[in-house]
Amino acid sequence: MESPFGIGQSANRFMRRIQSGMHAKVRTLGENVAKDIGPHGGFILNTLAEGEPMPVQELVRIMARDKSQMTRKIKDLEAKSLIVRTQCPTDGRVSLLSLSDEGRDIQKKLQRALTSVIEEILSPLSEEEQSQLAQLLQKI
Amino acid sequence: MESPFGIGQSANRFMRRIQSGMHAKVRTLGENVAKDIGPHGGFILNTLAEGEPMPVQELVRIMARDKSQMTRKIKDLEAKSLIVRTQCPTDGRVSLLSLSDEGRDIQKKLQRALTSVIEEILSPLSEEEQSQLAQLLQKI
DNA sequence: TATTGTTATACTCTATAACTATA
DNA sequence: TATAGTTATAGAGTATAACAATA
């Protein structure tokens, strides 16, 4: 389990645990909205929170997803009034995305939930090991 | 980016890169079969290779996926003659799964491809850091 | 009664290509 | 011509519950 291959397997299971942990947790939040935006919806809100307003293109880059997926998901979130779209004043092709107040509210709840899910998964690691892991992952 | 939250984001991107890297690579293998079994199909073959014969239940546990998904995927792979199912002699409820010769052949190709994709992604890390990462991920 | 595995359904994510509009 | 974003479509993964068969 020390080959690159093993790393892939472990990382896969790690992500799976985050995913199903969040799925379970979000249901307890009692937020219909949170449940209805899907994992990607939450990911988008969290990403926007790190730097808004953000062009669609940058969101695509950061999330490493296809732009056509983004278009659809953004439309969903916009229809649910969680994000707001404005035209870029200097480039007519560019849409800038921001969180609405409601979107920001949900984003905070989701981020707290996600943090606690990940904390739980990381609990077998010491503080030092956790920051080691963070650094290694960030490096790649 | 040192919070648990940041770790989640990095891990997510890591998995994404593996996923799209494999998608691109598998196309170059010229193996129609490999392309048609999907990421999970490959994952199942790889998991079986680590310990066959394996009951469905254990596959489900290792892959941390839902059993209903497994049922369908297993049926696919069986129809493509990549895996073989035998009844457990001591427990009539249990199906044991093994790789067929063709399945093993494809599994080896996929594992090589996956290994090289991951190696590429991990290349910014030194050998020591890579084994550190492997250990940390395995611990959780 | 509990466990192994299957079926059915509805939803979400992913890949691709063709397209519009602006630069 | 190149880039930002949209549309359409087909394929794959995910969650849930209800079910049959065996232990």
Side-chain angles (χ1 to χ4, degrees), chain B residues 34-118:
Chain B
K35 196 165 68 178
D36 291 352
I37 62 177
H40 270 41
F43 193 2
I44 290 176
L45 297 187
N46 281 327
T47 304
L48 283 183
E50 286 173 14
E52 38 174 349
M54 184 180 287
V56 175
Q57 192 201 12
E58 194 180 344
L59 190 66
V60 166
R61 193 183 53 72
I62 293 180
M63 293 188 52
R65 255 78 185 181
D66 190 87
K67 54 183 181 166
S68 66
Q69 294 175 48
M70 283 306 114
T71 295
R72 241 172 313 123
K73 210 64 194 170
I74 287 168
K75 204 154 59 175
D76 274 10
L77 294 173
E78 206 184 359
K80 294 195 167 85
S81 304
L82 301 182
I83 66 181
V84 178
R85 184 197 302 260
T86 54
Q87 281 306 106
C88 175
T90 63
D91 186 338
R93 296 170 302 180
V94 174
S95 278
L96 296 173
L97 307 174
S98 313
L99 293 170
S100 71
D101 288 344
E102 194 184 349
R104 195 180 319 279
D105 195 52
I106 289 178
Q107 183 272 324
K108 281 178 188 155
K109 284 181 183 143
L110 288 177
Q111 177 159 351
R112 272 196 295 274
L114 182 53
T115 299
S116 87
V117 166
I118 297 177

